[in-house]
Each structure stands twice: as structure tokens, then as C-alpha cells.
Amino acid sequence: LDRRFGWLRDRTKMRKTALDEMVWRITLRVGDALALLNQRLPHGRPLMWLINGFRWRFRWLYWRSRLQSLGARTMILRFVVVRFPERVSIGPYSSIGDFVHIWGNGGVTIGENVLVAAHVVITSLTHDPAVYPYSRKCVEAPVVIEDGVWIGSGAIVLPGVTLGRGAIVAAGAVVTKDVEPGAVVAGVPARILRHREDSAMMETACNNVGGTG
């Protein structure tokens, strides 16, 4: 049955992806049109607040419908790509920057008050180097990003990695193994530079609802 109806399943996925893309583009066009209208109106600041609120709310609803779960007041900026979104969970009060790419095949869990800067790659999928051609075998391993983590711009988090509570990943780092809570890591591959002296304060801040990570 899988061979007989596989083409139908693939076509259905393609249509769903195309529909999601169309809804996303319509949202952006409506927001841009309202922003242009605001520029042409005198004293349009209250209208701009309304426009921004509409755009953020619609964007949040869009991603909540696609992801496994999405926490309250989490911001997902423009041009974010999420593969297998039904296996990706993001907690409340987190921020996902522009051009972030998430491969959710093996499962990706992002906690609350997490800050993910622009151009970060988080992948739970890789290939087996012992099998050639490399595309023949995929290896999936879950990624867990705990509360209060900050991932700098351009960093890469590889499959099977857990970033401990309050850890900081420097810009451009490649994380290949687990990071301890409160650790600051940098480099390729990422290595511990130090531990945060304010880890105790960070624990308190993460327990207070409404933080920003």
C-alpha cells in the first residue's frame, strides 16, 4: 500500500506546504500594506501599534497551528524555516530570530525564555558516515534546549545535543556535545570558556514568568 499510494501522500504534503506558504505570503503582504497606509496618515502611531499587534498575533497563530506546541508570547521572526514542525516544541517567552533553520525530524524541544539569534541552525537529523552513499541512511537524535539558554548568531546545534539551563552559545559556534547548565561555550567545535557567575540569579529569573531569556 505504501508503494501504491506513496505518491498521493507526497502530493498531499506538497499541497499543504504550498498552502502554508501562500498564507504566510498573504500575511506579509497585508502587514506591508497596512504599514504603507500608516506612513501616509498623519499621527498614525496608534495605527502602527495596531498593525504590529495584528502581525505578531497572526504570525503566532500561524506557527501554533504548525508546531507541536508553542508557548504564550513567544516571537518567531521572519524567514524562519522549520522542517517537520509537528516534532518541534517551543516554550513561552522565547524568541526565534530571522533566518533560523530548524530540522525537527528527530525531535526538537526549546524551553522558555530562550533566545535564538538570527541564522542559527538547529538540527536533529544527520547521516551515517559509515554508509555510502551518505544519503542512504539518516540518523535522528533529539535536541533539547533548556530554559534561559542564549544561542548567538550563526551558531549550529547538532543532533543529540542538550543545552543546559542558562547556557550561552557564542556566535558561530558548532555544538557537538551536551553543554552544562550555566556554561559559556564558543569555537568549532564548541568548548567551555567559563561558567556564569550569575547562575544563581539566572535560576531565579527563569522561574519568574515574563522574562526574555
Side-chain angles (χ1 to χ4, degrees):
L1 288 178
D2 185 65
R3 291 182 178 179
R4 182 173 298 178
F5 297 106
W7 64 273
L8 181 60
R9 181 186 65 245
D10 295 340
R11 180 168 296 182
T12 301
K13 288 183 179 179
M14 292 176 61
R15 288 180 177 176
K16 183 178 183 301
T17 302
L19 180 61
D20 291 339
E21 183 68 20
M22 182 180 67
V23 171
W24 182 245
R25 290 183 180 276
I26 290 174
T27 304
L28 294 179
R29 294 296 181 270
V30 170
D32 292 340
L34 290 175
L36 180 61
L37 176 63
N38 178 74
Q39 292 176 1
R40 295 179 180 274
L41 291 176
H43 310 293
R45 186 178 296 270
L47 178 59
M48 195 62 196
W49 292 339
L50 179 63
I51 292 170
N52 289 334
F54 163 78
R55 295 179 70 174
W56 284 116
R57 184 61 179 172
F58 199 98
R59 188 173 295 172
W60 186 86
L61 290 171
Y62 168 81
W63 282 110
R64 189 186 68 169
S65 68
R66 298 194 64 198
L67 299 175
Q68 181 178 355
S69 64
L70 180 63
R73 303 201 177 199
T74 285
M75 296 188 301
I76 299 180
L77 301 184
R78 299 179 65 178
F79 308 115
V80 172
V81 177
V82 181
R83 306 296 183 187
F84 288 84
E86 65 275 10
R87 299 182 183 178
V88 176
S89 299
I90 305 177
Y93 304 103
S94 294
S95 176
I96 310 297
D98 298 286
F99 299 99
V100 169
H101 205 125
I102 300 175
W103 291 82
N105 307 59
V108 174
T109 302
I110 299 175
E112 62 180 274
N113 292 292
V114 173
L115 180 60
V116 181
H119 298 279
V120 167
V121 175
I122 301 171
T123 177
S124 59
L125 176 72
T126 185
H127 298 275
D128 189 346
V131 177
Y132 186 83
Y134 303 126
S135 59
R136 181 178 300 175
K137 184 178 180 180
C138 294
V139 178
E140 299 177 356
V143 173
V144 178
I145 300 173
E146 297 182 353
D147 300 344
V149 171
W150 175 15
I151 305 177
S153 180
I156 300 175
V157 181
L158 296 181
V161 166
T162 295
L163 302 182
R165 185 183 180 94
I168 297 178
V169 178
V174 178
V175 185
T176 60
K177 58 184 180 180
D178 293 352
V179 176
E180 300 172 3
V184 179
V185 299
V188 182
R191 293 182 173 85
I192 296 178
L193 299 180
R194 61 183 177 87
H195 285 80
R196 295 176 57 181
E197 296 178 357
D198 59 341
S199 58
M201 296 176 60
M202 176 272 301
E203 287 285 340
T204 302
C206 286
N207 288 329
N208 293 331
V209 177
T212 59

